[in-house]
Amino acid sequence: MKIKINKFKVKSLNIDHLKDLAIDPSHWFDCGTCEYKLYAYISTFFNDTTILDVGTRTGGSALALSYNESNHVISYDLEEHGASNIKKDNVVWKIQDFRNDNTLDYSKISIIMIDVDPHDGVQESEMFKFLEEMGWKGILILDDITNIWPSIKKLWNDFDYPKLDVTEVGHFSGTGIVSFGGIHELSWEIE
Ligand SMILES: C[S@@+](CC[C@H](N)C(=O)[O-])C[C@H]1O[C@@H](n2cnc3c(N)ncnc32)[C@H](O)[C@@H]1O
């Protein structure tokens, strides 16, 4: 699939109904500062798919990824930070590492977002290796790819798959999308 990111469409997306469900709506800044409009936009490229949100904290990224209600979001954290109290029909909250979730069918997962502490690249590189071993192919969204987090930046730079730095409409700390497994084409859509 050709995934073309249209900056204007990201900027003009209305995600207020998701912000209204958030525990910390004051953190939902506009795109370029906060990544949530971009995540919501990326969810519109797929229908009836499963999306993994790895690193829930208070649930913002999961809510954003749930924008397209035909999709099913599973959000994972190792600790409860209150997100499980948020009720949204197409989001399930799990306190576990996604790699131990034996219910997953990787052929039905189109998007995986990874944003886990402590951002030292250790867990992230193990997760990428796991996904390679599972033969997973899809859109990987990676948060924190700028100099603020050098270990994540290095992992980002080391990807051989097609990738697109979408920080301009994502998170100020850097947002990248990777065609993990190489099945999708990624580009900006010229307005
Ligand atoms: C930066 S926060 C995530 C922010 C969240 N995506 C948002 O939109 O606000 C990182 C989270 O990763 C969680 N975490 C750390 N290791 C994890 C793992 N192996 N699996 C899932 N979550 C993990 C931490 O408990 C923490 O809540």
Side-chain angles (χ1 to χ4, degrees), residues 24 35-36 39 53-62 76-79 81 96-99 113 115-119 123 127 143-144:
D24 47 8
E35 63 275 34
Y36 297 155
Y39 288 6
D53 171 70
V54 181
T56 309
R57 197 165 56 191
T58 51
S61 52
Y76 297 87
D77 206 303
L78 303 183
E79 300 163 5
H81 296 280
Q96 72 177 104
D97 192 300
F98 79 95
R99 291 167 288 180
M113 191 292 301
D115 178 19
V116 291
D117 292 335
H119 294 81
Q123 289 208 86
M127 288 173 180
D143 195 23
D144 305 315

Side-chain angles (χ1 to χ4, degrees), residues 4 21 24 26 29 34 46 48 51 58 64 68 78-79 103 110 114 123 131 154 161-162 167 191:
K4 296 187 174 186
L21 295 175
D24 47 8
S26 62
F29 302 107
C34 175
F46 300 91
D48 304 313
I51 299 174
T58 51
N68 177 351
L78 303 183
E79 300 163 5
T103 68
S110 300
I114 294 185
Q123 289 208 86
L131 293 173
K154 178 170 182 349
Y161 292 130
T167 305
E191 288 151 31

Side-chain angles (χ1 to χ4, degrees), residues 54-110:
V54 181
T56 309
R57 197 165 56 191
T58 51
S61 52
L63 284 172
L65 289 165
S66 77
Y67 176 83
N68 177 351
E69 301 205 340
S70 79
N71 297 326
H72 174 58
V73 176
I74 311 176
S75 183
Y76 297 87
D77 206 303
L78 303 183
E79 300 163 5
E80 176 63 57
H81 296 280
S84 301
N85 295 322
I86 301 172
K87 304 291 176 222
K88 180 132 196 299
D89 285 349
N90 65 332
V91 183
V92 167
W93 312 101
K94 294 194 177 187
I95 301 296
Q96 72 177 104
D97 192 300
F98 79 95
R99 291 167 288 180
N100 300 327
D101 189 344
N102 297 324
T103 68
L104 293 177
D105 175 351
Y106 279 83
S107 69
K108 298 206 165 98
I109 299 170
S110 300

Side-chain angles (χ1 to χ4, degrees), residues 7-42:
K7 294 176 196 172
F8 175 77
K9 287 183 183 164
V10 177
K11 285 175 190 163
S12 58
L13 208 65
N14 185 343
I15 58 168
D16 287 350
H17 59 298
L18 301 171
K19 181 179 173 181
D20 287 344
L21 295 175
I23 293 173
D24 47 8
S26 62
H27 296 175
W28 285 53
F29 302 107
D30 207 352
C31 57
T33 303
C34 175
E35 63 275 34
Y36 297 155
K37 274 191 183 178
L38 175 70
Y39 288 6
Y41 175 74
I42 292 171

